[in-house]
Amino acid sequence: MNNRTVRRTLAAAAVVSVGVLAGCSSGGGDASSDTFTWWDPYPQHAEGSAWDERVQTCGEAAGVAIQRTPYDTTSLTNQALLAAQEGTSPDVILLDNPAVSTLAETGMLSTVGELGLDTSAVDANLLAAGEVDGETYGIPIGANTLALYYNAEILDEAGIDPASITDWESLTAALEQVDGAGHRGITFAGINTEEGSFQFLPWFWGSGADLAQLDSPEAVEALELWTGWLDAGYAPNSVIGNSQNTTWEEFLTGDFAFVENGTWQVNAAAEADFETGVIELPARDGGPAPAPTGGEFVVAPVQDDADRYETTREIVECMTTPEGFVETAETFAYYIPPTPEGQEAFLADHPELETWVAAVQAAKGRTSDNLGTDYPLISEQLWTAVQDALSGSKTPQQALEDAQRAAEAATAG
């Protein structure tokens, strides 16, 4: 059996378990030679929206019509797996980057090499989220990530220059000054979901820790940083249940000096009732911490009709030119182009986003280090450890030791 046949066989076997999760859908199997199917996770962008027009333009450039179907993020992954089982995969999917390895490992995705796509200009740290066992499945259309927003009025009153915050020690000292000035320090999301892991990872990676060893001394130090802030009163008890949305709502009250949040809040920050700024999340010993990347990859499912791939390639290339990356960033207002050329062009019009470009350049994919489908199993144990430590039910050391044992058991198969 050749590699494609092996992948298709694996796909058929792997998706049986998810078939009950979603109903049937129309996909590539229903498309004609002049209509190509496209799925994405943007139901908020309806037909006729700027995003919908962006997609349709790429179809027109390839000489075909695009039949676009949006799903929410979780449903999209399930629908894609089911469609592969039924032989009705769409021609193109825009997929949340941690899910790329999930689909790739079933064998249902074509590699960029098979499609003849050139990814040499894409930043390696961003492309890594789509790499599995040395093969690349798809191209990021842009990226978002995390940083520290700050309330400039509080920092001014406390006598803090945000540029002086370069490592954990200087950040904690700033929180102490803020507290002494009668304000609240920092809020973040420690919720027991993927958002909790997403927000903890910059501190985890910024300590030098590795997801293959959750209970390393570096990992313990990162969790002690968070629990130390909570114990000192620099962070509120609400962080235990906070989502990223609720942390932002807390920040907008004007009570907090800092909030850890993402690129998607740029417009909301500009509209806040107080002056805001943003700095990169600091690593323990200085410099930017690697924050996890958010954002979607454009991927191409395997098709029975190989004649469709040439047009698929043209559609994907339209989405991934330097100009295309910038247009996508402009359309969403919170995506950073994934290539140096695209970033330079984007900054020419948006110099105020320089910090975000730098944060994306330092970012890291959650499934990088070839974690693939092991990542969600490890992540669940990580967010559980964060919860246990923040609640005080376990010390950071105990919580992470238990997490490591559970992660090893979960990924042993």
Side-chain angles (χ1 to χ4, degrees):
M1 298 172 72
N2 61 32
N3 288 340
R4 185 180 298 280
T5 303
V6 170
R7 293 207 313 275
R8 288 182 61 79
T9 301
L10 288 172
V15 298
V16 171
S17 63
V18 300
V20 297
L21 297 178
C24 296
S25 64
S26 60
D30 293 334
S32 64
S33 60
D34 59 356
T35 301
F36 276 60
T37 46
W38 169 292
W39 293 359
D40 65 43
Y42 306 137
Q44 70 273 31
H45 298 290
E47 183 177 352
S49 65
W51 171 247
D52 183 68
E53 291 177 2
R54 169 97 179 87
V55 173
Q56 299 302 332
T57 297
C58 283
E60 293 169 8
V64 296
I66 288 185
Q67 178 186 325
R68 173 179 168 256
T69 305
Y71 297 94
D72 68 61
T73 298
T74 301
S75 295
L76 177 59
T77 302
N78 292 333
Q79 288 288 91
L81 290 166
L82 181 63
Q85 180 188 18
E86 296 178 337
T88 58
S89 291
D91 296 287
V92 180
I93 304 177
L94 206 58
L95 192 68
D96 191 24
N97 74 80
V100 174
S101 58
T102 299
L103 268 59
E105 290 192 5
T106 71
M108 65 168 288
L109 297 182
S110 301
T111 69
V112 295
E114 289 169 335
L115 288 172
L117 293 164
D118 180 8
T119 60
S120 60
V122 180
D123 286 344
N125 65 316
L126 303 180
L127 193 64
E131 294 174 348
V132 179
D133 295 330
E135 295 283 2
T136 303
Y137 298 86
I139 302 175
I141 63 164
N144 52 49
T145 193
L146 296 167
L148 276 182
Y149 288 92
Y150 61 84
N151 183 322
E153 296 172 11
I154 289 178
L155 264 59
D156 285 345
E157 184 180 333
I160 298 167
D161 178 0
S164 69
I165 300 171
T166 58
D167 54 20
W168 290 3
E169 183 179 2
S170 55
L171 175 57
T172 300
L175 295 179
E176 184 177 3
Q177 282 183 250
V178 165
D179 185 67
H183 297 286
R184 309 188 75 177
I186 187 169
T187 184
F188 50 84
I191 191 171
N192 60 335
T193 68
E194 177 59 24
E195 286 191 36
S197 291
F198 190 78
Q199 289 243 320
F200 183 60
L201 279 172
W203 313 99
F204 182 88
W205 283 331
S207 73
D210 189 298
L211 285 170
Q213 193 64 43
L214 296 180
D215 59 350
S216 68
E218 294 82 4
V220 172
E221 191 173 358
L223 192 47
E224 287 176 342
L225 180 72
W226 269 22
T227 58
W229 289 344
L230 194 62
D231 292 343
Y234 302 155
N237 289 329
S238 60
V239 298
I240 298 173
N242 270 352
S243 68
Q244 294 185 112
N245 284 337
T246 53
T247 65
W248 189 252
E249 291 168 2
E250 287 180 334
F251 181 64
L252 289 181
T253 63
D255 295 335
F256 287 88
F258 299 96
V259 63
E260 180 182 350
N261 223 290
T263 327
W264 50 89
Q265 301 290 8
V266 165
N267 290 341
E271 297 168 359
D273 293 334
F274 48 88
E275 183 184 352
T276 65
V278 63
I279 58 174
E280 291 179 76
L281 291 157
R284 179 188 60 193
D285 299 324
T293 56
E296 282 73 39
F297 270 58
V298 56
V299 301
V302 171
Q303 301 291 334
D304 289 328
D305 182 2
D307 290 340
R308 301 183 72 82
Y309 291 129
E310 176 61 26
T311 301
T312 297
R313 181 184 61 78
E314 293 179 19
I315 294 170
V316 173
E317 285 182 335
C318 171
M319 294 295 298
T320 56
T321 62
E323 298 78 14
F325 287 137
V326 172
E327 188 171 347
T328 295
E330 296 284 1
T331 300
F332 285 125
Y334 52 77
Y335 262 17
I336 303 301
T339 65
E341 184 179 354
Q343 292 162 8
E344 184 178 351
F346 188 57
L347 284 176
D349 291 332
H350 299 281
E352 74 280 5
L353 297 181
E354 183 176 1
T355 299
W356 287 110
V357 170
V360 164
Q361 290 171 343
K364 182 174 180 176
R366 283 164 279 175
T367 58
S368 297
D369 301 326
N370 208 38
L371 289 177
T373 51
D374 281 349
Y375 170 74
L377 304 175
I378 296 169
S379 176
E380 182 176 359
Q381 302 312 319
L382 184 61
W383 81 58
T384 300
V386 170
Q387 282 278 299
D388 289 342
L390 291 178
S391 68
S393 65
K394 296 178 183 178
T395 67
Q397 180 80 49
Q398 292 169 332
L400 288 167
E401 286 177 352
D402 290 346
Q404 178 61 23
R405 284 192 290 270
E408 288 174 356
T411 58

